[in-house]
Amino acid sequence: MKVLVAVKRVIDYNVKIRVKPDHSDVDLTNVKMAMNPFCEIAVEEAVRLKEQGVASEIVAVTVGPKAAQEQLRTALALGADRAIHVETEARVESLAVAKLLKAVVDEEQPDLVILGKQAIDTDNNQTGQMLAALTGMPQGTFASKVDVKEGSVDVTREIDGGLQTVALTLPAVVTTDLRLNEPRYAKLPDIMKAKKKPLESKTPEALGVSVESGLELLGVETPAERKGGVKVGSVDELVEKLKTEAKVL
Amino acid sequence: MSILILAEQHDGELAAGTAHVVAAARAIGGDIDVLVAGEGVDAVAQAAAGLDGVSRVRVADDAVYAHQLAEPLAELLVALADDYTHVLAASSTTGKNVLPRLAALRDVAQISDILEVVGADTFKRPIYAGNAIATVRSSDPLKVITVRTTAFDAVADGGSAAIEPVSAEVSNPSSRFVGEELAQSDRPELGSAKIVISGGRGMGSGDNFKLLDGIADKLGAAIGASRAAVDAGFVPNDMQVGQTGKIVAPELYIAVGISGAIQHLAGMKDSKVIVAINKDEDAPIFQVADYGLVGDLFEILPALEQKL
Ligand SMILES: Cc1cc2nc3c(=O)[nH]c(=O)nc-3n(C[C@H](O)[C@H](O)[C@H](O)COP(=O)(O)OP(=O)(O)OC[C@H]3O[C@@H](n4cnc5c(N)ncnc54)[C@H](O)[C@@H]3O)c2cc1C
Ligand SMILES: Nc1ncnc2c1ncn2[C@@H]1O[C@H](COP(=O)(O)O)[C@@H](O)[C@H]1O
């Protein structure tokens, strides 16, 4: 079984972001970048499927600037067999990413596509669902368990009320939630080996996809900062203040 | 303008989120229809018809929609979308699952988690865990939008919209419901509770979460958790508050043994009053807390329960 994994280069989750002075966007100059944490979980799941003998080949794909090849190399170090870089310097919205991924799916014909549930920069939570729609595949979003069977996959999903399990016919799209697995770290020898694994570059034009979007970013602002309040000395004082000052009890 | 809202359901009842989505729709303006899709949804449809500002409730009652699976719901929405300029849903796990699929099938963008309606085509939404707010404008013929329910005050009851069935042939050959494990609780829903008390890794174990029960009982509060507490298996996933969990904005949020990582703050920093209980006086949670109490939660919680 062939597994396609989509990974996105995003700001490292520990970094506190800054808005550009002209409010046109978030400032990403000299900011530490990394693989989106949910994509790390997606890669890990694919690698585990290969270790179990369920998957035979793992292809990692990203859409983004030249520098996004770093995240593909990380995926290769973690266990992907080869990588596809759809190179563009443009801001690519989720729908266009989904269209590009569909073009890759058409070429690669994977049995399972694994994406993160959410990119922690845009917080969109859309791309996997959109890819499923465009390819006509069923979707198992927010997965905390993936169980591949003959011709189908059972996906346990984290939903608002608890957990839901669905059975999807393959090929299918799965998006990862936090509890699916705990990603491993790449080992130094694997990082060295990854440099020799195949990485193919493509362009949106070559894939026949326009990255234009109906969405325009008009501006970005910093939200009102919440000011810290006071420290109270005791439970009595806390309850007193909540009753008489904050009036929430 | 004409707006279709996908109703949110919970245990055969209309979920609280829908009244907030109607409020967002009223801010956009125009006729508002609510779609209730499911199996045996009379009560949900009745409740939706009572929401202020709703002109019509459209009901798709069929087993194919029974578990709110994305594939049939998106297909149904695609069939209905021609009549509308906007399709809205709560930014719940159902809304997030279904609406991007509709958007892609209609070749339009989806706008996630809006906080504010600037105009019929322009919206504010949080990015980077709410550390920045983006203003986006859509030129697409159909706007597909999920709504952060805590950012809009619920509309009142008092309407009496017409209820009409919709007929659409929808089949679902590719996905099948297998089962579910839903949390059973008599407490209010996290997303709509007036008071929320959450525990973090500092709680130490699932058993220790009982220390929150007595307080929650006295306050009528919902109980939440940090990711660390969920990952450690102390409590189930549906209790996670944060960037990638539930968003809450109660009158009072009490964070116990939670350090205050940005991903957690993203889910609760719009609460009216925040209380933090933590033994580390430098914990970042104190930077957003209105009232901070430094100390050991195992001493503080029993004392707090007694005082309430
Ligand atoms: C992609 C991604 C998504 C994430 N999404 C979320 C999310 O949605 N929600 C979320 O919460 N996190 C999320 N996180 C995780 C987040 O970064 C933090 O790791 C997490 O919030 C930490 O949880 P915590 O505060 O309970 O644990 P810790 O950071 O370990 O803090 C425990 C706190 O308990 C205090 N403590 C310990 N013992 C006691 C005691 N006896 N009495 C009083 N205080 C005590 C300690 O001083 C400490 O401050 C996400 C992370 C990533 C990478
Ligand atoms: N530019 C991209 N390149 C590759 N995968 C992406 C890209 N953008 C989003 N994805 C995938 O879609 C998931 C969800 O992203 P989003 O819908 O943008 O929140 C991510 O975790 C990735 O797996």
Side-chain angles (χ1 to χ4, degrees):
Chain A
M1 182 173 96
K2 191 197 262 192
V3 181
L4 185 72
V5 184
V7 299
K8 186 178 187 191
R9 175 183 175 83
V10 297
I11 195 161
D12 184 272
Y13 79 96
N14 277 312
V15 173
K16 179 115 177 64
I17 57 117
R18 286 182 317 267
V19 170
K20 286 184 182 169
D22 67 0
H23 293 280
S24 59
D25 205 342
V26 167
D27 194 352
L28 294 183
T29 38
N30 297 322
V31 164
K32 186 174 174 216
M33 302 294 280
M35 188 189 292
N36 181 43
F38 288 101
C39 301
E40 292 178 342
I41 298 172
V43 172
E44 177 67 32
E45 194 64 16
V47 173
R48 290 188 188 189
L49 287 172
K50 195 170 173 201
E51 287 169 349
Q52 290 156 20
V54 176
S56 48
E57 189 185 23
I58 302 170
V59 182
V61 55
T62 196
V63 176
K66 185 109 204 155
Q69 289 192 4
E70 283 172 32
Q71 279 63 49
L72 287 178
R73 290 290 170 202
T74 304
L76 292 168
L78 290 167
D81 297 294
R82 53 193 179 84
I84 298 170
H85 179 205
V86 181
E87 191 173 342
T88 168
E89 298 295 325
R91 155 192 290 285
V92 190
E93 291 288 347
S94 290
L95 180 62
V97 173
K99 288 178 182 173
L100 291 164
L101 294 177
K102 174 183 188 291
V104 173
V105 164
D106 288 345
E107 286 180 359
E108 295 286 335
Q109 299 288 319
D111 303 284
L112 190 64
V113 188
I114 312 181
L115 303 89
K117 83 162 177 183
Q118 178 173 342
I120 60 160
D121 50 2
T122 62
D123 283 332
N124 267 349
N125 197 330
Q126 305 176 355
T127 310
Q129 297 86 314
M130 289 180 155
L131 175 64
L134 296 176
T135 54
M137 292 185 197
Q139 68 192 44
T141 51
F142 329 142
S144 67
K145 189 163 173 245
V146 172
D147 187 4
V148 179
K149 311 228 158 120
E150 194 59 44
S152 71
V153 58
D154 282 4
V155 179
T156 301
R157 311 177 50 234
E158 295 199 358
I159 59 170
D160 286 338
L163 296 170
Q164 178 191 63
T165 303
V166 290
L168 313 174
T169 55
L170 294 175
V173 171
V174 166
T175 76
T176 62
D177 215 320
L178 295 168
R179 260 66 61 178
L180 182 57
N181 59 52
E182 212 172 303
R184 71 194 70 188
Y185 294 98
K187 295 197 200 78
L188 191 59
D190 294 330
I191 295 172
M192 301 311 289
K193 265 189 262 168
K195 294 187 175 150
K196 300 207 183 68
K197 288 187 178 175
L199 191 160
E200 186 189 351
S201 274
K202 296 177 188 277
T203 60
E205 297 74 46
L207 290 168
V209 175
S210 156
V211 297
E212 277 187 20
S213 167
L215 270 194
E216 189 188 349
L217 180 65
L218 298 183
V220 171
E221 63 202 282
T222 311
E225 283 279 325
R226 216 185 153 102
K227 283 194 281 298
V230 296
K231 292 248 169 73
V232 293
S234 67
V235 169
D236 285 348
E237 193 187 337
L238 175 64
V239 172
E240 177 63 22
K241 284 209 145 65
L242 290 177
K243 281 188 175 149
T244 57
E245 198 175 270
K247 300 193 167 63
V248 286
L249 290 186
Chain B
M1 258 149 343
S2 51
I3 303 172
L4 181 65
I5 295 172
L6 177 65
E8 182 83 16
Q9 312 171 33
H10 193 68
D11 280 343
E13 285 175 34
L14 184 72
T18 304
H20 299 259
V21 180
V22 174
R26 292 183 85 171
I28 294 169
D31 287 335
I32 301 171
D33 287 357
V34 173
L35 172 65
V36 174
E39 193 181 23
V41 287
D42 283 352
V44 181
Q46 290 292 342
L51 293 176
D52 237 354
V54 175
S55 8
R56 182 166 64 145
V57 175
R58 307 184 71 179
V59 181
D61 203 323
D62 192 306
V64 75
Y65 311 118
H67 299 284
Q68 306 287 301
L69 299 189
E71 297 80 5
L73 281 182
E75 206 181 312
L76 173 65
L77 284 167
V78 168
L80 300 179
D82 277 339
D83 299 343
Y84 300 95
T85 54
H86 297 69
V87 176
L88 270 56
S91 183
S92 61
T93 49
T94 303
K96 290 176 192 169
N97 196 30
V98 176
L99 259 55
R101 215 175 152 102
L102 160 69
L105 292 171
R106 295 293 302 232
D107 196 24
V108 298
Q110 196 238 197
I111 307 171
S112 297
D113 221 13
I114 64 162
L115 296 169
E116 192 183 319
V117 174
V118 180
D121 61 358
T122 306
F123 309 92
K124 290 194 181 184
R125 59 174 304 265
I127 55 177
Y128 294 88
N131 288 300
I133 308 294
T135 304
V136 294
R137 182 165 60 205
S138 161
S139 56
D140 286 326
L142 177 72
K143 276 91 174 144
V144 180
I145 296 170
T146 61
V147 175
R148 176 169 290 198
T149 51
T150 54
F152 296 87
D153 288 334
V155 297
D157 280 328
S160 55
I163 300 180
E164 293 172 13
V166 294
S167 53
E169 285 295 314
V170 171
S171 63
N172 178 22
S174 60
S175 75
R176 180 171 55 81
F177 172 81
V178 176
E180 60 194 2
E181 271 172 58
L182 298 184
Q184 297 301 328
S185 166
D186 300 331
R187 299 195 189 287
E189 260 181 69
L190 252 183
S192 50
K194 290 227 166 2
I195 301 180
V196 174
I197 180 163
S198 291
R201 198 197 309 268
M203 296 300 296
S205 74
D207 241 14
N208 290 339
F209 263 73
K210 291 203 186 93
L211 292 170
L212 303 181
D213 283 341
I215 298 172
D217 286 344
K218 286 195 166 167
L219 296 177
I223 300 184
S226 71
R227 172 190 174 181
V230 177
D231 282 6
F234 300 172
V235 291
N237 63 281
D238 54 278
M239 287 169 68
Q240 180 181 315
V241 170
Q243 178 188 16
T244 60
K246 287 195 176 125
I247 308 292
V248 302
E251 300 279 302
L252 173 62
Y253 186 88
I254 309 175
V256 185
I258 292 178
S259 61
I262 54 168
Q263 293 85 6
H264 188 78
L265 300 185
M268 45 62 82
K269 71 175 178 204
D270 291 329
S271 305
K272 193 160 152 256
V273 174
I274 297 174
V275 169
I277 298 171
N278 197 303
K279 69 176 180 191
D280 172 10
E281 62 175 335
D282 295 325
I285 189 77
F286 288 122
Q287 290 165 22
V288 299
D290 299 284
Y291 302 103
L293 184 50
V294 179
D296 187 345
L297 66 90
F298 296 102
E299 286 161 23
I300 291 171
L301 291 177
L304 180 60
E305 184 182 339
Q306 253 209 331
K307 274 277 160 326
L308 291 172

